[in-house]
């Protein structure tokens, strides 16, 4: 207990000292540590940060860094899509959700910049806060399991009307997985690890796998492999040992039945046109699992058809190609958030269970192209290329992890079309890419 008190006391003194050097340090830190909370709290913290820049922390010169200009241009293009959208009400409501793409980069361009040391400390306290959330949800899951005996309390997320998972559906297990992964790599990347660092990394490691996000788990394992083989001091001398450890850990993780089943559902539904209920313990009796082949080829579906994640994304890509042929959307797109109108029409055409048409494309690249056209798609690709280029240039593994996680996540999620998603992306994008001065952050 004394160690915890000492850590918190030292942390507070360090935070106060950094606040004296940069008046926006604590306001920005508040955004970082409240990410897995209610959007109302995120909005308040974002407003505090912007006000701190405007009132207390303005630079005498306005910076014109190209890397931070592109998110602003993307937002401007989103706003302009109101003039050609096919669904004006949805577009106008979505513009306000994307406003941080404009406000955060502008704030960085007019504020006194964070030093490399301050960036590291911001990432440090963000990472410790993610450990706190992980412990909270693990304890919450243990309590719920003790009361109900339902093992689902330790895995993924539940539904809006049935909160049975490890985290609430509102927070989204996939989004929390991204938050946790970046925090884990802070501890993994430390050259000298204390017992507290090892404990924190272990908690985040276990928590991320219990969240059971297939895409994030695969990329997470890939990034751990990159770190062991290329970023550790012993990487050149002990690659065989690192490979053995990597395989053992991977095998142990995938032996957990709940995690294995989430991968099995995808694999079997992708190789069979009909799968019995006995294979999928998450299904209701009579549910027909749709394979990738069926998602791509069926002319009609039934209301008892269920699309696993990969099959559903294949179906959505198929719908995008159909809409692309039917509508003149190449340059401008349908308008921000306006594609839902077309997807709802496709739901009726293909006789899907009501509600499938309310889902977006679950692919950020397709989402940008469908709603903002080639120009909006090009803005997105440019932003991602700038991000990964700077990360590799400065050999900063935490930045590299963030960049690769975003590139891969955008293949399976329309992350920037969620208010929490766009806020998370833009604050870390600006933090890592501002002035390109944050070369490799050496964590001792």
């Amino acid at each position: 207990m004394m160690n915890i008190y000492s850590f918190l006391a030292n942390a507070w003194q360090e935070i106060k000292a950094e606040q004296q050097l940069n008046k926006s340090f604590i306001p920005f830190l508040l955004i970082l540590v409240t990410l897995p909370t209610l959007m109302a709290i995120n909005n308040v913290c974002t407003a505090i940060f912007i006000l701190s820049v405007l009132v207390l922390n303005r630079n005498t010169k306005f910076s014109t860094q190209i890397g931070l200009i592109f998110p602003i241009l993307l937002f401007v293009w989103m706003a302009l899509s109101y003039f050609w959208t096919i669904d004006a009400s949805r577009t106008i409501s979505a513009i306000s959700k994307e406003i941080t793409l404009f406000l955060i980069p502008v704030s960085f361009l007019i504020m006194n910049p964070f030093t490399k040391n301050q960036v590291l400390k911001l990432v440090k306290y963000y990472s410790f806060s993610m450990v706190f959330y992980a412990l909270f949800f693990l304890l919450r899951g243990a309590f719920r399991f003790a009361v109900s005996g339902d093992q689902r309390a330790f895995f993924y997320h539940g539904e809006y009307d049935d909160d049975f998972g490890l985290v609430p559906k509102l927070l989204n297990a996939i989004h929390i997985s991204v938050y946790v992964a970046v925090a884990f790599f802070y501890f993994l990347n430390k050259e000298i690890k204390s017992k507290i660092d090892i404990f924190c990394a272990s908690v985040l490691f276990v928590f991320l796998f219990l969240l059971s996000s297939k895409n994030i788990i695969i990329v997470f394992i890939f990034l751990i492999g990159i770190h062991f083989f290329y970023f550790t001091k012993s990487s050149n001398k002990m690659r065989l040992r690192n490979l053995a450890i990597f395989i053992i850990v991977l095998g142990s993780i995938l032996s957990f039945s709940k995690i294995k089943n989430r991968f099995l559902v995808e694999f079997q539904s992708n190789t069979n046109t009909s799968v019995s209920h006995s294979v999928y313990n998450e299904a209701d009796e009579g549910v027909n699992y749709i394979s990738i082949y069926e998602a791509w080829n069926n002319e009609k579906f039934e209301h008892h058809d269920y699309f696993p994640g990969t099959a559903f994304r294949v179906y959505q890509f198929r719908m995008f190609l159909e809409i692309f042929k039917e509508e003149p959307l190449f340059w401008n797109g349908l308008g921000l958030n306006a594609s839902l109108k077309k997807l709802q029409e496709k739901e009726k055409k293909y006789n899907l269970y009501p509600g499938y048409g309310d889902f977006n494309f679950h692919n950020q690249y397709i989402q940008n192209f469908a709603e903002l056209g080639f120009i909006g798609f090009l803005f997105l690709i440019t932003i991602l290329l700038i991000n990964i280029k700077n990360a590799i240039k400065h050999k900063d593994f935490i930045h590299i992890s963030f960049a690769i996680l975003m590139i891969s996540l955008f293949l399976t999620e329309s992350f920037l079309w969620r208010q929490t998603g766009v806020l998370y992306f833009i604050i870390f994008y600006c933090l890592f890419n501002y002035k390109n001065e944050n070369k490799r952050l050496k964590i001792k």
Side-chain angles (χ1 to χ4, degrees):
M1 193 58 133
M2 288 300 296
N3 288 337
I4 296 176
Y5 174 79
S6 177
F7 170 80
L8 293 175
N10 291 335
W12 177 238
Q13 292 301 319
E14 187 174 67
I15 290 171
K16 285 200 302 182
E18 297 302 333
Q19 177 66 14
Q20 293 298 317
L21 298 174
N22 190 308
K23 299 301 181 182
S24 295
F25 185 85
I26 290 180
F28 192 82
L29 182 59
L30 285 175
I31 302 177
L32 291 173
V33 301
T34 59
L35 280 167
T37 61
L38 298 176
M39 197 63 231
I41 298 175
N42 299 153
N43 289 339
V44 170
C45 293
T46 303
I48 292 172
F49 167 68
I50 294 169
L51 286 173
S52 75
V53 172
L54 294 175
V55 177
L56 303 172
N57 197 34
R58 289 193 64 175
N59 201 345
T60 55
K61 295 182 180 179
F62 184 85
S63 178
T64 55
Q65 296 182 60
I66 193 68
L68 270 61
I69 296 297
F70 276 102
I72 297 172
L73 293 176
L74 176 58
F75 173 78
V76 170
W77 189 250
M78 289 175 173
L80 288 174
S81 73
Y82 174 77
F83 296 102
W84 62 78
T85 181
I86 64 171
D87 194 333
S89 61
R90 281 200 173 97
T91 296
I92 198 68
S93 64
I95 289 173
S96 62
K97 295 180 180 179
E98 305 293 333
I99 190 66
T100 50
L101 275 177
F102 177 84
L103 294 177
I104 299 298
V106 168
S107 297
F108 267 77
L109 291 174
I110 66 176
M111 68 182 282
N112 290 311
F114 295 123
T115 65
K116 288 186 286 185
N117 187 51
Q118 286 173 331
V119 171
L120 178 57
K121 288 179 179 177
L122 287 166
V123 174
K124 169 186 173 182
Y125 290 116
Y126 161 81
S127 301
F128 275 108
S129 72
M130 292 304 111
V131 176
F132 168 80
Y133 288 113
L135 289 171
F136 170 79
F137 284 115
L138 288 171
L139 290 173
R140 173 181 180 263
F143 176 78
R144 286 151 63 92
F145 174 73
V147 172
S148 66
D150 190 345
Q151 295 182 1
R152 295 181 301 172
F154 289 112
F155 300 94
Y156 205 54
H157 58 232
E159 300 297 333
Y160 289 115
D161 58 349
D162 186 8
D163 182 19
F164 58 78
L166 182 59
V167 298
K169 178 66 178 288
L170 183 64
L171 296 182
N172 193 304
I174 298 172
H175 291 200
I176 298 295
S177 295
V178 176
Y179 304 168
V180 168
V182 173
F184 171 84
F185 288 120
Y186 164 79
F187 294 108
L188 182 67
N189 200 47
K190 294 189 73 171
E191 294 180 0
I192 302 174
K193 298 178 181 64
S194 67
K195 291 181 180 179
I196 292 178
D197 296 328
I198 295 172
F199 170 77
C200 291
S202 300
V203 169
L204 294 175
F205 184 88
V206 171
F207 185 59
L208 186 140
F209 274 89
L210 293 178
L211 287 169
S212 310
S213 171
K214 300 178 289 294
N215 177 35
I216 301 302
I217 288 175
I218 292 171
V219 178
F220 181 70
I221 293 171
F222 171 73
L223 288 169
I224 291 176
I226 289 178
H227 184 270
F228 277 165
F229 298 141
Y230 295 102
F231 281 86
T232 58
K233 288 184 177 180
S234 60
S235 59
N236 293 326
K237 299 178 181 178
M238 307 186 72
R239 283 188 179 168
L240 183 61
R241 184 211 64 173
N242 290 342
L243 179 62
I245 294 174
F246 182 68
I247 292 173
I248 291 171
V249 171
L250 175 59
S252 300
I253 293 298
L254 294 181
S255 67
F256 284 98
S257 61
K258 283 284 184 181
I259 298 171
K260 182 172 67 177
N261 283 345
R262 282 191 53 77
F263 282 91
L264 190 61
V265 165
E266 293 294 341
F267 174 75
Q268 295 196 2
S269 66
N270 293 344
T271 55
N272 297 277
T273 58
S274 179
V275 183
S276 68
H277 169 66
S278 60
V279 176
Y280 302 110
N281 57 15
E282 299 178 34
D284 295 327
E285 200 71 39
V287 171
N288 176 47
Y289 278 76
I290 296 298
S291 68
I292 283 181
Y293 177 86
E294 292 170 320
W296 186 256
N297 292 284
N298 281 13
E299 293 301 321
K300 287 288 183 180
F301 296 94
E302 303 296 333
H303 281 194
H304 65 273
D305 289 340
Y306 172 76
F307 288 79
T310 305
F312 179 67
R313 287 164 174 83
V314 169
Y315 165 80
Q316 292 289 69
F317 180 60
R318 174 186 173 187
M319 294 306 101
F320 165 71
L321 293 179
E322 288 191 11
I323 295 169
F324 187 84
K325 292 178 181 178
E326 298 165 358
E327 302 289 336
L329 59 79
F330 181 82
W331 292 110
N332 295 348
L334 300 170
L336 181 65
N337 207 35
S339 63
L340 279 177
K341 183 176 182 179
K342 291 296 178 181
L343 291 173
Q344 288 170 343
E345 293 174 2
K346 297 296 181 182
E347 173 198 287
K348 294 177 182 178
K349 175 183 176 181
Y350 287 97
N351 193 40
L352 268 65
Y353 186 82
Y356 271 114
D358 295 331
F359 291 111
N360 59 37
F361 284 106
H362 279 62
N363 182 306
Q364 191 63 61
Y365 306 104
I366 293 176
Q367 197 82 43
N368 269 58
F369 211 130
E371 297 184 355
L372 302 173
F374 178 74
I375 295 175
F377 173 77
L378 188 61
F379 281 143
L380 176 65
I381 295 300
T382 302
I383 290 167
L384 294 177
L385 288 176
I386 290 172
N387 194 32
I388 190 67
K389 171 181 170 291
N390 289 337
I392 294 173
K393 176 182 177 181
H394 302 308
K395 299 180 181 178
D396 176 6
F397 184 72
I398 303 174
H399 189 180
I400 290 172
S401 301
F402 168 72
I404 293 177
L405 281 166
M406 290 298 101
I407 291 170
S408 62
L409 181 65
F410 287 2
L411 289 169
T412 59
E413 297 293 321
S414 296
F415 192 62
L416 300 184
W417 263 230
R418 285 282 299 269
Q419 197 169 353
T420 52
V422 69
L423 177 62
Y424 176 85
F425 174 80
I426 198 61
I427 60 176
F428 273 101
Y429 176 85
C430 292
L431 189 65
F432 286 136
N433 290 286
Y434 182 64
K435 281 199 171 179
N436 299 337
E437 289 176 350
N438 307 315
K439 296 181 181 179
R440 185 174 182 180
L441 300 179
K442 295 186 178 180
I443 306 174
K444 299 180 180 179

